[in-house]
Amino acid sequence: MAEMAEGAIETVVVPLDGSDLAEAALPVGRAIAARAGAALRLVRVLDLGRTAEAQRQAEQALWESARRADVEARLKVRVGDAAEEILREAAALPAPLVVMTTHGRSGLGRWLIGSVADRVVRGGTAPVLLLRSGVSLDGETGTRRLLVPLDGSALAEDALPIAQALARAFGAELHLARVAETTRLFMLTGTTDAPVPDNVMEELVAGLEDDASAYLAGVIERLASAGVAVRAAVLSGVPVDALLTYVDRHAIELVVLATHGRGGFNRLVLGSVAERVLLQGHTPILVVPPVRSGEVGTPTDGVEAAGRTVS
């Protein structure tokens, strides 16, 4: 798979499993593909041992899904484990973005944990836009405000190029936020034998916030030539709670974050920023891997609707 240059999106991959829930990702995939000038690919994965007739029916089901959603797309049926085959499909395509719901036929009621979506996020080299059941982007307007949480690390900044690309494509405002972890400071000073004077504590808190402000100012300066409206905010407190409050207060429609960074973005399940936004918020998330090159395994043979374009 070719590396994604400066956040470019050349292919939008929408995995479908025959459920209405999975199909809800189609309008979003169509909007992103249209705005980004990318190709749209619909993928269906069948279990091993399925007959040629089952494969033909799966291809027909993809065609019907494309027709109902009024999209033009390439269709592909693969055979094997769902998550592995989605990863292999994305790995074979130029600058892919995977758009999928957080659970489908194989993961109802389990959210990210153990689901196909979770495995695609953790095992892939492509960005994955996750749409929670009942929570989606507008299929026509896409996003008007998107947020990139930053923690001061280069790893967290891996989310910036694709966030910029989407902001340009949709004419959206790009929000950057860094949390000055003042809560941790209060916890640490609370363990000392002697109380910390108020004026000293105020200076320590101000220092954390000044450092965060200076960092964000530097990021904005680097983004100045991107042609995107950018605003930045320094937040205080527990990182996840502060970010969720910011998302609600500013009507953020998409959160874009790297899979790991110094502040704990490496934990995509069990208390992470990503899962808590999905479970507690009303906002889709786009998860960006820190390395966007290389291959995922060895692709298995699939059954492709070769050259088939649906309108």
Side-chain angles (χ1 to χ4, degrees):
M1 180 186 70
E3 289 191 19
M4 179 174 290
E6 296 301 322
I9 301 169
E10 296 182 26
T11 315
V12 176
V13 180
V14 180
L16 300 176
D17 62 4
S19 69
D20 292 340
L21 181 61
E23 207 160 297
L26 266 175
V28 176
R30 174 183 61 189
I32 293 174
R35 294 294 187 102
L40 182 62
R41 172 85 49 123
L42 309 186
V43 182
R44 179 80 178 265
V45 181
L46 298 179
D47 297 332
L48 290 171
R50 300 297 290 271
T51 64
E53 175 60 19
Q55 295 172 1
R56 187 196 65 78
Q57 291 176 359
E59 180 186 329
Q60 181 64 26
L62 283 179
W63 190 90
E64 290 292 340
S65 294
R67 182 187 60 79
R68 286 192 299 271
D70 191 26
V71 299
E72 290 190 0
R74 294 286 293 251
L75 312 178
K76 188 158 186 181
V77 176
R78 300 186 71 101
V79 178
D81 176 83
E84 291 178 3
E85 294 306 317
I86 293 168
L87 289 170
R88 290 187 172 110
E89 181 68 16
L93 297 170
L97 168 67
V98 179
V99 179
M100 64 189 304
T101 46
T102 56
H103 61 280
R105 185 182 58 202
S106 60
L108 287 171
R110 293 185 296 164
W111 299 107
L112 279 177
I113 301 172
S115 71
V116 172
D118 175 43
R119 292 171 59 205
V120 171
V121 168
R122 288 190 293 168
T125 56
V128 182
L129 198 162
L130 294 169
L131 304 167
R132 193 184 111 184
S133 175
V135 176
S136 182
L137 292 172
D138 188 299
E140 298 299 327
T141 62
T143 178
R144 292 164 295 180
R145 289 170 296 279
L146 52 89
L147 168 67
V148 179
L150 298 171
D151 63 7
S153 71
L155 292 170
E157 290 180 16
D158 277 347
L160 287 172
I162 193 168
Q164 288 178 263
L166 287 171
R168 283 194 299 268
F170 287 100
E173 186 176 55
L174 176 59
H175 291 237
L176 310 177
R178 180 167 182 189
V179 179
E181 296 187 51
T182 52
T183 299
R184 181 176 298 178
L185 175 62
F186 283 105
M187 291 175 62
L188 289 173
T189 54
T191 62
T192 61
D193 293 333
V196 179
D198 289 345
N199 63 323
V200 174
M201 180 61 73
E202 289 174 2
E203 289 179 5
L204 292 172
V205 170
L208 285 174
E209 294 177 344
D210 288 346
D211 288 345
S213 294
Y215 165 74
L216 288 175
V219 175
I220 290 177
E221 185 176 354
R222 298 202 308 269
L223 301 181
S225 62
V228 174
V230 182
R231 62 186 296 184
V234 174
L235 312 179
S236 297
V238 179
V240 175
D241 293 337
L243 289 169
L244 285 171
T245 299
Y246 188 90
V247 165
D248 289 339
R249 184 172 297 163
H250 295 274
I252 298 297
E253 296 172 328
L254 177 65
V255 177
V256 185
L257 50 84
T259 54
H260 62 286
R262 188 179 62 211
F265 296 144
N266 56 320
R267 299 175 59 216
L268 285 176
V269 294
L270 301 177
S272 72
V273 172
E275 191 182 38
R276 285 193 60 185
V277 170
L278 278 171
L279 295 180
Q280 298 178 16
H282 306 285
T283 309
I285 66 169
L286 198 167
V287 184
V288 183
V291 180
R292 293 178 294 283
S293 63
E295 296 184 357
V296 181
T298 302
T300 58
D301 291 335
V303 181
E304 181 176 4
R308 183 84 176 270
T309 301
V310 198
S311 58

